[in-house]
Amino acid sequence: MFGIERRRKIMEQLTQDRKVYVAELSKKFNVTEETVRRDLEKLEQENLLQRSYGGAVLNVGTSEDLSFIKRTSIHHADKELIAQKAESLINDGDTLMVDASTTCLALLRHLKTRNDLTIITNSILLVNEFVNSSFTVISSGGTLRSRSYALTGPAATGILEKYYVDLALISCKGLDRSRGIMESNEPESLIKQTMIRQAKKTILLVDHSKFDKTAFTKTCDFTLIDYIVTNQEPSAEWLDFFNQELIKIIY
């Protein structure tokens, strides 16, 4: 087993158990304890865990997978501002793939006056909220993650792959200039990857708290993002970076 695969499995176990032990991992992977310690050191350098005597504990910030209800109450005013800023990017007749994030839901609430929009989504809340709207709404189906009301898994990605759309609307849990765009869990990250592939352009909606933040799993590189809409001006370093990546930043 390659080191990168071993470290991925270590993070999977950490996400589930919140702690791991060097001796147990050594036996599990049939490697020396020193090899395990080096793996933990590399993961700690990436701010994914904190080493402790005999093992490591999960860095809560990287694994935080808040419920949809709790996320709705966080940065509410910022999300409303992002939605207002992003409105102009959506035109009558557009076809959209939309993730299950609270920020994307806020944007769709601002688009009720748009005509002939087609919405393809993995969010059961979005489907429910717009059941009587003028939108044409297509649900991805799939396995429900109850914390986020998101449909995931092979059934969901299989449906998404049948469509090609104008825009993908997504959010994320963290952005880092070297690590890319990150999510707190792999099932929803895979959904967002599929949406990006099926769209002509991708719009990332993200509030200021997500900048310079590491999350559990990488969704994509910045090269796949066309627009980023946020609630306040990013730092000069970020603005230079977006300029280099040819990303249009709106704030």
Side-chain angles (χ1 to χ4, degrees):
M1 181 185 296
F2 292 111
I4 190 170
E5 175 68 10
R6 190 173 56 249
R7 290 189 289 276
R8 186 182 69 81
K9 290 184 177 297
I10 289 173
M11 286 306 303
E12 287 178 354
Q13 185 171 331
L14 261 176
T15 302
Q16 178 178 327
D17 300 335
R18 302 286 169 170
K19 58 184 177 181
V20 292
Y21 298 98
V22 171
E24 292 179 0
L25 293 174
S26 174
K27 292 178 182 178
K28 178 178 180 178
F29 298 120
N30 193 28
V31 296
T32 65
E33 292 189 3
E34 182 59 31
T35 296
V36 172
R37 291 191 187 95
R38 286 197 296 269
D39 284 336
L40 297 181
E41 182 179 3
K42 288 181 180 179
L43 292 169
E44 185 177 49
Q45 290 171 353
E46 295 179 20
N47 200 32
L48 296 173
L49 57 78
Q50 294 178 331
R51 285 185 295 166
S52 59
Y53 182 77
V57 295
L58 192 63
N59 185 332
V60 176
T62 68
S63 64
E64 197 169 30
D65 195 10
L66 302 177
S67 70
F68 188 96
I69 294 173
K70 189 170 183 179
R71 284 188 285 122
T72 301
S73 64
I74 298 174
H75 299 295
H76 176 74
D78 295 336
K79 293 171 185 177
E80 281 298 306
L81 180 58
I82 291 168
Q84 293 171 18
K85 295 291 184 181
E87 264 187 274
S88 62
L89 298 176
I90 315 300
N91 300 308
D92 290 349
D94 277 348
T95 53
L96 314 172
M97 283 193 180
V98 185
D99 73 10
S101 65
T102 56
T103 312
C104 285
L105 178 58
L107 171 57
L108 287 190
R109 288 170 176 162
H110 283 258
L111 299 177
K112 291 182 179 179
T113 59
R114 292 290 194 278
N115 297 315
D116 196 28
L117 289 186
T118 298
I119 312 296
I120 306 170
T121 185
N122 70 317
S123 167
I124 62 170
L125 277 185
L126 192 155
V127 171
N128 180 68
E129 177 158 339
F130 296 102
V131 66
N132 292 317
S133 73
S134 62
F135 300 159
T136 298
V137 181
I138 300 172
S139 173
S140 68
T143 302
L144 177 64
R145 295 190 77 249
S146 58
R147 293 183 63 80
S148 58
Y149 302 129
L151 297 166
T152 62
T157 55
I159 291 296
L160 294 176
E161 287 170 347
K162 293 181 179 180
Y163 299 96
Y164 298 94
V165 297
D166 297 308
L167 297 168
L169 305 179
I170 66 169
S171 190
C172 69
K173 293 299 187 298
L175 295 87
D176 182 274
R177 290 192 292 276
S178 61
R179 297 186 178 101
I181 295 157
M182 292 161 282
E183 188 52 63
S184 62
N185 65 87
E186 193 165 22
E188 290 185 67
S189 182
L190 292 172
I191 289 291
K192 296 179 187 194
Q193 290 171 13
T194 304
M195 289 181 170
I196 292 168
R197 285 197 303 270
Q198 302 305 109
K200 294 178 182 176
K201 293 186 177 181
T202 296
I203 301 172
L204 177 66
L205 310 176
V206 58
D207 69 71
H208 69 280
S209 68
K210 307 297 175 59
F211 284 80
D212 298 305
K213 182 176 180 181
T214 300
F216 176 60
T217 185
K218 180 177 179 178
T219 297
C220 68
D221 291 316
F222 286 94
T223 54
L224 297 179
I225 303 299
D226 298 282
Y227 296 90
I228 292 179
V229 186
T230 188
N231 60 295
Q232 65 183 44
E233 184 177 8
S235 67
E237 291 81 6
W238 273 106
L239 291 175
D240 288 342
F241 176 79
F242 292 145
N243 185 54
Q244 293 170 14
E245 296 292 330
L246 303 180
I247 296 172
K248 174 69 174 178
I249 178 74
I250 300 171
Y251 54 86

